[in-house]
Amino acid sequence: MKVVYDPAQKRHYPGFFLTSGARAPNPETPARADILLSAALAAGLTQELPPDLGLAPAASVHTPEYLDFLARIFTRWQRIEGASDEVIPNIHPDRRDGAYPLSAVGQAGYHMADTSCPIGAETFTAALRSAHAAAHAAHRVAGGEDAAYALCRPPGHHAFKDLAGGFCYLNNSAIAAQALRGITARVAILDIDVHHGNGTQGIFYDRADVLTVSLHADPTRFYPFFWGHADERGEAAGLGYNFNLPLARKTGDDGFLAALDRALTRIAAFCPGALVIALGLDAYEGDPFAGLSVSTPGFRRIGAKIAELGLPTVLVQEGGYVCDGLGGNLAAFLDGFGATHRVPRSAGA
Ligand code: ZN
């Protein structure tokens, strides 16, 4: 299997982070990519640089207004006397269907859901390369490979069509799914990150061609708080095509795998031609976010279970933060997935 990754993705190095109102180091560090790449290579994957695909992958799921904002906001922000080094919002609209502000400060509030997605000089470049990794991995699978791993960093699943949030700018999993729509009428996205994939849900909420399923810590008391509840089932044509499985804090392997069974049953009933895994590793018991309690052997079991679907699959890296288990958890997932994954010749067409 290929690991698709460009070291330029490390050029984004966010500094600002607030946790319960207190300043702290931003945990979405470039070191994550080094750890994950080492683990993927040690697991036998071979690295491939994504080609420069320009704006097309991002434009397949994001609005032009938002992409224009991301491309220019850092330069505009620097023109504000006394502005912070990174773009960080300090005001948000209470509704999103009103007037669109001209001000850089107003637009930052409009396009950034929280303070966890600061924009620096290299953020858009790194996010574009991360999106290219997702798109290229999807193109490989669309071209006939059984699976590919996109080492996406910065991550993407909290990014809506016109809104950054939670370390995410461009929604890599959604971009991969949209690319796979070119080869099949139905694509499923399964998000196993400890945080609800709210951006992914939002992008496909009114669509029946992309099923979105997410397992995550119950948002009643966990980020992203305002999305990820079980009664969010989709709308319009997409009603019934979004499935959330919120889990009690500290749920361990057995509880997670029981919910995964329900998720996989729903996905099988959708009869997709391809699958995207939003592969967060922060459900780990030792992850700094401490939401769920999946063990390293648990990730092997999760990988093996997902592989039993027998679908052409794009693995898209989401969360998972620096801790002793990070590389081992990716290796365990890839080992379990690779040992079981077989795509029947008729699938994927
Ligand atoms: Zn996460």
Side-chain angles (χ1 to χ4, degrees):
M1 197 194 307
K2 297 285 190 229
V3 45
V4 185
Y5 171 70
D6 181 346
Q9 294 168 227
K10 290 202 298 180
R11 285 159 55 177
H12 166 64
Y13 200 151
F16 192 83
F17 185 61
L18 286 179
T19 177
S20 304
R23 283 290 299 264
N26 191 303
E28 208 289 280
T29 58
R32 297 179 60 239
D34 292 332
I35 292 167
L36 294 165
L37 180 62
S38 295
L41 296 176
L45 278 65
T46 51
Q47 186 180 350
E48 183 165 79
L49 283 176
D52 185 352
L53 299 169
L55 285 172
S60 72
V61 299
H62 294 286
T63 63
E65 187 177 72
Y66 177 58
L67 296 180
D68 179 50
F69 165 81
L70 288 179
R72 297 193 301 113
I73 188 61
F74 179 78
T75 303
R76 295 169 59 203
W77 194 263
Q78 300 316 304
R79 296 193 198 115
I80 304 171
E81 192 175 339
S84 54
D85 292 342
E86 297 173 306
V87 181
I88 301 159
N90 55 259
I91 183 168
H92 299 282
D94 67 343
R95 48 191 275 267
R96 297 179 58 76
D97 58 350
Y100 185 70
L102 291 175
S103 141
V105 172
Q107 289 182 8
Y110 186 85
H111 288 299
M112 300 167 82
D114 52 50
T115 53
S116 298
C117 47
I119 295 173
E122 301 283 356
T123 298
F124 189 50
T125 300
L128 274 180
R129 293 305 283 155
S130 192
H132 293 168
H136 186 63
H139 294 159
R140 280 202 155 274
V141 170
E145 293 185 21
D146 287 352
Y149 168 55
L151 202 178
C152 291
R153 183 277 160 185
H157 73 150
H158 296 308
F160 290 69
K161 65 180 180 180
D162 62 355
L163 186 66
F167 312 143
C168 300
Y169 306 89
L170 300 176
N171 195 311
N172 306 305
S173 292
I175 286 166
Q178 191 62 41
L180 289 167
R181 279 286 288 104
I183 59 150
T184 182
R186 289 180 304 282
V187 177
I189 303 175
L190 172 61
D191 190 320
I192 62 167
D193 190 282
V194 75
H195 303 100
H196 174 242
N198 54 334
T200 315
Q201 168 177 304
I203 286 169
F204 296 113
Y205 207 55
D206 61 356
R207 286 172 52 172
D209 59 329
V210 179
L211 174 71
T212 46
V213 180
S214 182
L215 283 71
H216 47 266
D218 190 336
T220 306
R221 293 182 180 275
F222 202 71
Y223 186 92
F225 302 110
F226 311 114
W227 302 271
H229 303 275
D231 62 354
E232 296 160 19
R233 300 169 49 238
E235 65 183 10
L239 186 62
Y241 294 86
N242 184 75
F243 187 34
N244 285 331
L245 290 150
L247 304 171
R249 288 288 289 274
K250 300 296 179 188
T251 293
D253 293 350
D254 290 343
F256 195 96
L257 281 149
L260 182 62
D261 271 340
R262 294 183 63 200
L264 297 178
T265 300
R266 180 67 62 93
I267 289 169
F270 178 62
C271 207
L275 177 68
V276 173
I277 301 299
L279 181 56
L281 297 166
D282 45 8
Y284 177 50
E285 58 191 349
D287 188 89
F289 283 99
L292 299 175
S293 296
V294 173
S295 71
T296 299
F299 281 106
R300 181 176 287 103
R301 294 168 65 192
I302 292 166
K305 270 250 176 250
I306 289 170
E308 285 175 9
L309 284 174
L311 289 166
T313 301
V314 182
L315 307 172
V316 177
Q317 186 65 48
E318 296 287 357
Y321 298 90
V322 175
C323 60
D324 285 347
L326 179 57
N329 292 335
L330 177 61
F333 179 93
L334 292 171
D335 182 53
F337 181 83
T340 314
H341 191 235
R342 303 288 179 272
V343 178
R345 198 174 282 268
S346 59

